[in-house]
Amino acid sequence: ATIISVANIELYYKAIQFYLAHKPLLLNDLLNIMVPRLDHTRTVSFFLKQGHIALVKPYLRHVQQNDNKTVNEALNQLLIDEEDYAGLRQSIEAYHNFDNITLAQRLEKHELIEFRRIAAFLYKGNNRWKQSIDLCKRDRLYRDAMLYASESNDREAAEDLLNWFLSEGLNDCFAACLYQCYDLLRPDVVMELSWRFGIMDFSMPYMIQVMREYIERVDRLESADKMRAENEEKAEAETNPIIFNREPQLMLTSGPAAMMPPAGGMPGAPYAGGMMGGGAGGFPGGPPSMGGHPGSNGPF
């Protein structure tokens, strides 16, 4: 408790050297007390140079939450040396501040398959899909290969994996890959491969599912097209409504011309004054008619 009140940081590192030489079992307790004041990069580099990094593993675990690159790489290397592949997988999934490609290249040559599996996982995380899938093929990690091909969203990678399964005689893996990479595969390619290798039975469930989806898509398109046509007709009817003329049309016989008398002197036409009362148009009290019939006072 006394050392953390010291202002001179260099005294901390002299204390570390002293505990390393005389009290190594208490070294992690000392480091945990001084965590807030230490430069973790300098501290880890010191232990790496001294060759005693394994002695401070609890300290590395404690400060890894800071996601320091030097701490992450030192702890990952320590886990590799201990062949703790589960701890390494947990470390690289939780903390990403380290050289992924360098670690993957080192792990892909490891003698244990689980470490090579982690290498494929690291290649996948850096979008090196081909290297990841090829490494899975080499180690016969079929499930991982299908998973990474699906996550790559690369149609060529998925179809190459299908061809590889068939070339290896792995018909069951071929059928499983049809569903794992369902959205990437082209039905015509699947049908051709199935026909060429005589395994139509393995691909028939896939083809049935594809056919069902295509039929549903066509039905939806037809329904949408029909609805669009109905909406267009409705919009056209609202834009150009039918207008009915409510004014009655005049008949030819009901026009004003039909009420006028025919021109005077036309054969067969009655005299204008021949109506009762002798008035014009036959109305009583009207002016004398100009027709010149007997009894009229006209000039003729």
Side-chain angles (χ1 to χ4, degrees):
T2 305
I3 193 171
I4 61 174
S5 60
V6 177
N8 190 350
I9 302 297
E10 293 300 323
L11 294 178
Y12 293 173
Y13 296 99
K14 290 182 178 180
I16 292 173
Q17 294 177 8
F18 175 81
Y19 271 73
L20 179 62
H22 301 283
K23 298 288 183 179
L25 298 180
L26 299 177
L27 186 57
N28 285 286
D29 296 333
L30 175 67
L31 292 172
N32 289 334
I33 292 174
M34 298 188 301
V35 160
R37 305 294 301 276
L38 288 177
D39 179 356
H40 303 304
T41 301
R42 179 180 175 181
T43 303
V44 172
S45 299
F46 168 76
F47 284 106
L48 287 172
K49 185 178 180 180
Q50 295 295 323
H52 296 295
I53 193 65
L55 189 61
V56 293
K57 182 179 178 182
Y59 160 76
L60 296 176
R61 289 283 195 187
H62 181 66
V63 300
Q64 194 181 18
Q65 59 186 351
N66 298 319
D67 202 16
N68 181 282
K69 182 178 180 181
T70 304
V71 173
N72 291 338
E73 292 181 348
L75 183 57
N76 290 341
Q77 184 58 48
L78 187 60
L79 294 172
I80 294 173
D81 295 339
E82 295 175 354
E83 297 185 349
D84 183 5
Y85 59 85
L88 178 62
R89 181 68 176 256
Q90 183 179 3
S91 174
I92 64 176
E93 287 180 351
Y95 305 101
H96 309 288
N97 189 13
F98 60 93
D99 192 341
N100 289 255
I101 301 303
T102 300
L103 181 60
Q105 291 173 347
R106 187 160 65 247
L107 291 178
E108 70 174 325
K109 301 175 183 179
H110 201 279
E111 59 181 2
L112 295 181
I113 189 173
E114 288 297 334
F115 285 101
R116 297 197 297 272
R117 188 178 185 182
I118 293 175
F121 174 78
L122 289 172
Y123 281 133
K124 185 266 295 186
N126 288 271
N127 295 326
R128 297 193 176 189
W129 302 103
K130 188 177 186 304
Q131 288 178 270
S132 177
I133 295 172
D134 289 344
L135 192 56
C136 292
K137 289 179 183 178
R138 189 180 70 187
D139 290 328
R140 304 290 175 174
L141 299 172
Y142 305 135
R143 184 176 179 275
D144 289 352
M146 289 185 282
L147 179 62
Y148 297 158
S150 176
E151 292 180 359
S152 69
N153 290 323
D154 186 352
R155 174 175 293 171
E156 183 179 354
E159 292 178 353
D160 287 344
L161 184 60
L162 277 183
N163 278 286
W164 184 80
F165 283 143
L166 292 176
S167 65
E168 296 292 322
L170 302 170
N171 297 338
D172 293 338
C173 293
F174 171 83
C177 189
L178 294 180
Y179 288 93
Q180 186 68 50
C181 304
Y182 183 86
D183 295 331
L184 299 177
L185 300 174
R186 291 175 291 184
D188 58 320
V189 174
V190 174
M191 183 175 290
E192 179 185 356
L193 291 175
S194 303
W195 172 71
R196 284 171 51 196
F197 287 87
I199 54 171
M200 291 297 296
D201 290 344
F202 287 88
S203 64
M204 188 53 64
Y206 166 84
M207 298 306 301
I208 292 172
Q209 180 66 26
V210 168
M211 185 64 68
R212 176 60 182 270
E213 288 192 359
Y214 280 6
I215 291 174
E216 290 179 352
R217 290 181 183 178
V218 172
D219 290 343
R220 287 196 297 268
L221 289 174
E222 289 180 349
S223 177
D225 187 65
K226 182 179 178 181
M227 185 178 298
R228 184 170 58 253
E230 292 177 353
N231 292 336
E232 289 177 355
E233 291 179 0
K234 184 177 179 181
E236 184 177 357
E238 292 176 354
T239 305
N240 301 315
I242 300 176
I243 301 176
F244 295 96
N245 188 6
R246 296 186 179 182
E247 297 181 0
Q249 296 183 356
L250 298 176
M251 301 298 292
L252 293 177
T253 57
S254 62
M259 301 299 296
M260 297 179 64
M266 291 189 67
Y271 292 107
M275 309 289 287
M276 286 181 61
F283 293 98
S289 174
M290 300 298 293
H293 57 277
S296 65
N297 298 322
F300 299 103

